[in-house]
Amino acid sequence: MGKAFRTALAYVYFRLTSPLAAPVWLPTPRNLKFRQAKQTLNRIVLDIIQSRRHDRTEHYDLLSILLTAQDAETQTGMSDRQLQDEVITLINAGHETTATALAWTWYVLGTHPHILTRIEDEINTELGAEAPSFETLPRLEYTGRVFDESLRLYPPGIGLAPRMALERDELQGFAIPKGAIININSYFTSRHRQYWDNAEQFDPDRFLPDPVNRHKYAYLPFGAGPHVCIGKNFALMEAKTILAAIIQKFNISLVPNQPIEIDPRFTLRPKYGIKVTIHKKIDRYAATG
Ligand code: HEM
């Protein structure tokens, strides 16, 4: 699936940025590669949907909810095709965003060892050797703040989905014609000096719960309004769990002198990846019995 997604996303990016690209139905090598990737994704997801339709065991997951969902007016469920589109949208919106955010988090932890030490202390105090769980996650407040701050400096979505102005408007002296496409870029709002002190500095404590006098929309990693990310709480929980579980077991340090650059295409990927060295921590809990 990973390879198929990469091929499909590269193709979508190509179409977005190449106004003269050949229509998708033409059998060019690029189009054929895309169509094959799309077919692979559709087939894998359809197999899962169909096997679930015949599976009587309760799974307590998102797919079960989608499978039993009914249209309020027609009382009918979704067709395989509709489910396929929903599932592919969720996988697409849900996997690379969190992965990108975590990649940048390892980067900032590697460049701020005192912050990593504070997370380790929190994990030792709050969890000890216990694996992070839904019940214990709220105790990892500092780890949560680190992830919030990492999303501020490196918002994976870069910006919100583009919006179209329904009417003529004016914003701070700028005329907005009807039908104009508006892009709101959270990468810039979350580094804007007007809204953030020492905007370029990584400081998780700016997300302490005390009331901070900050513009409501200066921090938009998950968007805002009716189309705010539906996976926000899931992503925050998932990221905290992964950070805690890895930091509990491994020492992670950045490979020195590697090139770090952003690649702002779909998500704010690190252009050359983030290379780290991983060592298993000595299991002191096991050692002391
Ligand atoms: C750190 C992880 C994530 C980030 C930074 C992120 C960011 C965003 C952003 C910026 C938007 C656009 C909001 C707008 O245009 O106003 C969005 C929408 C969306 N996200 Fe996420 N997301 C993350 C994780 C997830 C996960 C895990 C899922 C699903 C399991 C998900 C599903 C969606 C969906 C379906 C939408 C479209 C909502 C709509 O248009 O109504 N996202 N996300």
Side-chain angles (χ1 to χ4, degrees), residues 34-261:
F34 165 69
R35 271 153 49 180
Q36 201 176 29
K38 191 164 163 251
Q39 226 172 33
T40 305
L41 292 174
N42 281 338
R43 187 183 35 76
I44 297 174
V45 171
L46 189 64
D47 281 353
I48 298 172
I49 292 170
Q50 286 177 340
S51 73
R52 272 298 189 83
R53 281 209 194 274
H54 302 114
D55 182 354
R56 296 267 154 246
T57 40
E58 186 54 81
H59 286 274
Y60 301 107
D61 60 14
L62 192 53
L63 184 54
S64 319
I65 298 172
L66 292 174
L67 277 162
T68 50
Q70 287 203 335
D71 185 304
E73 281 166 23
T74 60
Q75 315 290 312
T76 50
M78 279 189 261
S79 66
D80 281 355
R81 178 63 211 272
Q82 285 171 314
L83 279 166
Q84 215 177 21
D85 287 348
E86 292 294 334
V87 170
I88 289 181
T89 300
L90 286 168
I91 297 175
N92 189 32
H95 85 282
E96 189 169 321
T97 40
T98 314
T100 304
L102 283 168
W104 287 115
T105 308
W106 295 120
Y107 170 66
V108 285
L109 289 178
T111 46
H112 298 76
H114 61 289
I115 292 180
L116 178 58
T117 307
R118 233 178 116 179
I119 294 197
E120 285 175 325
D121 289 347
E122 179 175 76
I123 292 171
N124 282 339
T125 313
E126 299 298 338
L127 302 184
E130 193 189 330
S133 64
F134 182 71
E135 287 70 30
T136 54
L137 277 187
R139 289 194 231 143
L140 303 181
E141 282 176 16
Y142 188 69
T143 311
R145 289 207 290 282
V146 167
F147 191 65
D148 290 343
E149 174 69 340
S150 172
L151 287 174
R152 180 183 73 84
L153 283 179
Y154 301 100
I158 309 172
L160 275 59
R163 307 298 206 258
M164 185 188 282
L166 294 178
E167 297 297 340
R168 248 181 93 233
D169 207 342
E170 192 185 300
L171 276 182
Q172 299 197 331
F174 289 95
I176 314 271
K178 181 178 174 177
I181 304 283
I182 315 285
N183 280 302
I184 297 176
N185 188 310
S186 36
Y187 184 81
F188 294 122
T189 61
S190 61
R191 287 174 180 247
H192 203 297
R193 269 183 265 159
Q194 197 176 326
Y195 306 117
W196 306 88
D197 293 335
N198 300 320
E200 300 290 325
Q201 194 183 320
F202 187 78
D203 175 12
D205 287 340
R206 32 172 125 243
F207 287 97
L208 275 168
D210 324 342
V212 188
N213 208 3
R214 184 186 301 140
H215 193 289
K216 192 175 160 197
Y217 296 121
Y219 183 69
L220 292 167
F222 294 101
H227 285 280
V228 68
C229 174
I230 57 165
K232 177 180 171 187
N233 290 332
F234 176 83
L236 293 176
M237 202 170 73
E238 180 189 18
K240 243 164 114 175
T241 308
I242 293 172
L243 284 172
I246 292 183
I247 292 172
Q248 237 175 0
K249 293 202 164 58
F250 300 98
N251 286 316
I252 295 198
S253 51
L254 283 180
V255 170
N257 304 323
Q258 57 176 310
I260 302 287
E261 243 180 75

